[in-house]
Amino acid sequence: MRDIHVLTTGGTIDKVYGVSGLLEIGPPAFQALMAPVLTDLRFVVTPVLAVDSLDMTEPDREQLCRAVEAVDGDLVLITHGTDTMAATARHLAEHLSPAARSKVVVLTGAMQPAAMRVSDASYNLGTATAALQLLPPGVHIAMSGRVFRADEVVKDTTRGVFVEAPSPDLERILRWERQGGEWQVLTTGADAVTVALMRCDAGEEIDRLTSSAPDVLRHVAGAD
Ligand code: GLU
């Protein structure tokens, strides 16, 4: 049975109410969460950081990178705040040493502190632990009951749900919509669509986009 190396960084999963009544980062919640679980897995827990992930700096991410590289094993579970989990996952995917890229790294966390009676912490740890043993080498996120590669995930902050990051083409259309612009499908085929980007009065065409990105095809078909 291979060991699972757990690196903790803080985030909501480890938050507790201090005596002042303010939420603060407590000790890693991992051991307490795993206490009721009967398993032959061996967890080696190493606290690396204790920060809200909104306060995580590039040097912090470098420190985490070095900690992953220093792990004497292949399976690395990282607990992390959800707000910048996707940014850290991408940082690790891009900056890990070539030797460390043979490791399976899974980040997870929680929207509600593990210390609360109603929390997603245990569920997310379970998802992440199982995913870790099934995934190929690389950096992944296990959140919202799903598993994503580091380069394809964002947190939808309006819903608190982790979802696939929009393709660059869809991001362009969404940006256009956010600015009040309109768009109209000019031609559509099985594999590609051409969209005119127009002013908000649906008048003058300002730009044109041809895309075969699956999320663009779904978006213009009204499926998303
Ligand atoms: N801002 C906090 C963080 O990212 C809260 C988000 C969370 O962990 O759910 O650490």
Side-chain angles (χ1 to χ4, degrees):
M1 186 60 61
R2 289 186 291 176
D3 291 347
I4 292 185
H5 294 263
V6 182
L7 306 181
T8 67
T9 69
T12 289
I13 191 167
D14 287 344
K15 283 187 183 173
V16 290
Y17 275 108
V19 286
S20 62
L22 293 177
L23 270 178
E24 51 195 48
I25 308 283
F30 185 86
Q31 284 99 335
L33 285 168
M34 292 304 294
V37 180
L38 304 177
T39 176
D40 284 335
L41 291 171
R42 199 169 77 96
F43 295 97
V44 182
V45 182
T46 307
V48 179
L49 300 163
V51 294
D52 185 302
S53 78
L54 289 175
D55 299 328
M56 199 174 277
T57 61
E58 288 306 285
D60 288 339
R61 292 198 166 93
E62 273 307 298
Q63 187 181 339
L64 184 58
C65 223
R66 303 291 85 82
V68 172
E69 290 165 357
V71 163
D72 184 18
D74 294 335
L75 303 182
V76 184
L77 177 61
I78 299 174
T79 58
H80 195 288
T82 60
D83 280 334
T84 68
M85 188 184 290
T88 299
R90 275 192 280 279
H91 183 99
L92 293 174
E94 287 164 14
H95 292 90
L96 279 175
S97 67
R101 287 169 199 239
S102 62
K103 296 181 195 296
V104 187
V105 180
V106 175
L107 290 88
T108 195
M111 299 298 293
Q112 301 295 333
M116 291 199 176
R117 187 184 296 276
V118 178
S119 169
D120 51 335
S122 293
Y123 177 83
N124 294 339
L125 278 189
T127 308
T129 305
L132 196 59
Q133 297 170 75
L134 296 169
L135 286 166
V139 183
H140 305 81
I141 281 182
M143 283 296 294
S144 309
R146 299 181 61 192
V147 182
F148 303 90
R149 283 198 326 267
D151 62 354
E152 66 168 4
V153 59
V154 289
K155 177 183 172 185
D156 175 348
T157 50
T158 58
R159 298 184 300 133
V161 177
F162 281 73
V163 295
E164 285 93 355
S167 66
D169 285 347
L170 180 59
E171 187 51 55
R172 191 168 157 207
I173 292 173
L174 295 176
R175 204 164 46 242
W176 192 261
E177 291 176 2
R178 283 196 294 271
Q179 288 165 354
E182 303 208 359
W183 52 263
Q184 186 181 319
V185 175
L186 296 177
T187 61
T188 183
D191 300 329
V193 66
T194 299
V195 172
L197 303 176
M198 299 169 309
R199 288 196 195 285
C200 53
D201 57 5
E204 191 187 353
E205 178 181 327
I206 304 297
D207 209 347
R208 194 174 277 206
L209 172 83
T210 297
S211 177
S212 54
D215 57 358
V216 169
L217 299 179
R218 286 197 303 275
H219 187 71
V220 301
D224 275 355

